[in-house]
Amino acid sequence: LPFLEKPPLYYDLVAAAYAVTGSITPPVARFVSIAFGAIAVVTALSIGCRWAGARCGWIAALILAGMPEFYKYSHLIVLDIAVAAFVTLAMGAFIWWLLWSVRPGHKEAVLCLFYLATAAAFLTKGLVGVFHIVVVVTAFCLIGRRWSTFAGLFRPLPMLFFAAPVGVWVLLFYREGGVPYLHEHFINNVIGRFLGIQFQLSDVRFGHTDVGTPRDWWFYLGNVLRIFGLAAPFLPLAAWKAIRREATPDRNEDPSHSSSHDLSLLLTVWALLPLVLLSFSANKETSYVLPSCVATAILVAWWLEEHVLPH
């Protein structure tokens, strides 16, 4: 039976794990999710280390690995942890491109990685997979009036790393089922799940269409401890510090510290904005905000490093 809700990348990787090991068992499938969880943890570790030192990086990794929902989905045979890993890779590449790349050739290569990870997020969960990346990067550039940064993302060669794999999948998808397949995937699975409404083409019926379970707008607020664990109480403190630094910059501060300001603001937007926007959706799940767990872990580790832990 055709499964039209999501692209096949996660399932292809599970099938590949079966083929490599010669064993079609739950532990082999779970290993794929564990690997994606490890990718997200290592990326958080590298960002924290590069930004605020080794201790910050290791604290961020430990916080992330201990978050209840992140830990749970890192052991379930569900595609959302793959989305979190690909979004984290894309955001890590964006951060490296924006703040730490120096040579033009290096910046181009990192931007290619950004688009490739974004494509992988799409091929795992469609447009929903790239939601975090698009809204966070766009909002960050708008808040900081970083017009040149936003314009610099649109380079032909790096964009090809997104357009080529995504375009091939959309073409094959269309050839397989035509407009009804495209409608079911892009309309019902995106707009329909956001609004909690099933949109159907006339005379077209599929065996399974899931528009989700509607939940109240405070769903994420009510589950913040379940999602972020012990990091939840520190997130408002870290976010407030980042917002204050952006709103009232120190004119006498070393200009070399500007990258720290940029990253603290970006992490705050990454941690909070998806929760706010997804609260307007009729359908809500804790797994939808797994990428925000990564930003929260790094941001809270930075705050703890500066305000709590002994130097």
Side-chain angles (χ1 to χ4, degrees):
L1 295 177
F3 180 61
L4 307 180
E5 290 183 18
K6 309 291 187 293
L9 181 57
Y10 176 82
Y11 308 102
D12 289 344
L13 292 173
V14 173
Y18 290 156
V20 168
T21 61
S23 175
I24 302 179
T25 60
V28 172
R30 288 193 186 96
F31 175 79
V32 176
S33 293
I34 292 170
F36 278 121
I39 289 171
V41 169
V42 170
T43 305
L45 170 67
S46 65
I47 294 173
C49 287
R50 182 65 176 80
W51 179 29
R55 187 166 68 165
C56 178
W58 283 104
I59 293 171
L62 290 172
I63 291 173
L64 178 60
M67 287 183 176
E69 291 300 279
F70 182 86
Y71 180 87
K72 181 180 80 173
Y73 281 99
S74 294
H75 294 77
L76 293 181
I77 309 169
V78 181
L79 57 80
D80 295 274
I81 192 63
V83 176
F86 288 132
V87 169
T88 302
L89 282 174
M91 292 305 303
F94 174 74
I95 291 167
W96 221 275
W97 171 80
L98 176 66
L99 303 178
W100 301 324
S101 297
V102 179
R103 299 188 305 274
H106 183 246
K107 290 182 76 71
E108 188 90 347
V110 173
L111 196 56
C112 289
L113 175 60
F114 167 78
Y115 277 107
L116 186 62
T118 305
F122 179 95
L123 293 174
T124 303
K125 204 171 181 178
L127 291 174
V128 179
V130 302
F131 166 80
H132 287 259
I133 301 167
V134 172
V135 300
V136 171
V137 170
T138 302
F140 168 74
C141 292
L142 289 175
I143 292 170
R145 297 184 295 277
R146 295 167 173 84
W147 316 125
S148 60
T149 296
F150 192 73
L153 289 170
F154 298 97
R155 298 181 60 82
L157 177 60
M159 291 178 67
L160 187 62
F161 279 77
F162 176 85
V166 170
V168 167
W169 178 79
V170 172
L171 176 61
L172 293 174
F173 195 62
Y174 175 76
R175 288 181 59 186
E176 185 71 22
V179 172
Y181 272 28
L182 295 178
H183 177 273
E184 184 70 10
H185 180 80
F186 289 101
I187 303 300
N188 256 347
N189 190 48
V190 179
I191 302 175
R193 287 174 73 88
F194 188 84
L195 299 176
I197 300 173
Q198 184 172 346
F199 297 96
Q200 289 184 330
L201 290 176
S202 59
D203 301 323
V204 175
R205 297 292 183 272
F206 292 105
H208 174 72
T209 296
D210 178 18
V211 294
T213 303
R215 301 181 188 275
D216 296 319
W217 67 266
W218 60 80
F219 174 78
Y220 292 113
L221 184 62
N223 285 279
V224 67
L225 281 173
R226 176 181 159 195
I227 297 169
F228 297 132
L230 295 177
F234 300 102
L235 177 57
L237 299 173
W240 176 244
K241 178 177 179 177
I243 293 170
R244 286 190 61 187
R245 293 179 74 182
E246 178 67 18
T248 56
D250 185 355
R251 298 180 182 274
N252 298 319
E253 189 173 29
D254 187 342
S256 64
H257 293 169
S258 62
S259 64
S260 178
H261 284 223
D262 289 341
L263 187 47
S264 60
L265 175 64
L266 176 60
L267 290 170
T268 302
V269 174
W270 181 7
L272 298 179
L273 184 59
L275 275 75
V276 174
L277 295 180
L278 288 171
S279 294
F280 290 94
S281 171
N283 186 46
K284 306 173 186 69
E285 298 289 346
T286 54
S287 61
Y288 293 177
V289 296
L290 287 177
S292 292
C293 291
V294 182
T296 298
I298 302 170
L299 193 64
V300 168
W302 165 71
W303 188 88
L304 292 173
E305 170 72 15
E306 292 200 1
H307 293 277
V308 177
L309 299 175
H311 291 279

